[in-house]
Amino acid sequence: MTEPYDPDWPGMITVVTVSAWREDETISFDPHHPQTPDDVREKLIEMDGNDEVTLTFAYDEDHDIFVEDFELGASAY
């Protein structure tokens, strides 16, 4: 994660993906998306700027990205 949740500027969290055999990609998402589970939302808000996490993304009916699952400290490879 590059930019953690900021309670003074609620909105987007930015992460950089790290996957074997794929180019790194920057993704921004809203931790308050209605389809993000409450326990996952709490973990997202508590993340630090240098945390390594595994995020499972999904898309809603409007094609907006949201986090479906979260694992702290998991390797992205």
Side-chain angles (χ1 to χ4, degrees):
M1 180 169 65
T2 59
E3 294 181 31
Y5 178 79
D6 182 352
D8 296 327
W9 186 265
M12 304 303 268
I13 291 177
T14 302
V15 296
V16 175
T17 64
V18 179
S19 300
W21 305 290
R22 293 185 66 195
E23 189 173 327
D24 293 351
E25 181 180 4
T26 301
I27 300 174
S28 295
F29 58 89
D30 180 359
H32 295 286
H33 190 285
Q35 288 179 264
T36 298
D38 290 340
D39 61 326
V40 171
R41 181 177 298 111
E42 289 301 317
K43 291 176 187 176
L44 292 171
I45 290 170
E46 293 171 4
M47 280 195 305
D48 225 1
N50 291 318
D51 284 347
E52 181 179 330
V53 297
T54 298
L55 301 173
T56 303
F57 291 105
Y59 293 91
D60 64 16
E61 60 280 350
D62 296 322
H63 304 288
D64 292 327
I65 194 168
F66 68 94
V67 179
E68 194 171 57
D69 197 15
F70 173 104
E71 217 177 312
L72 183 62
S75 176
Y77 294 99

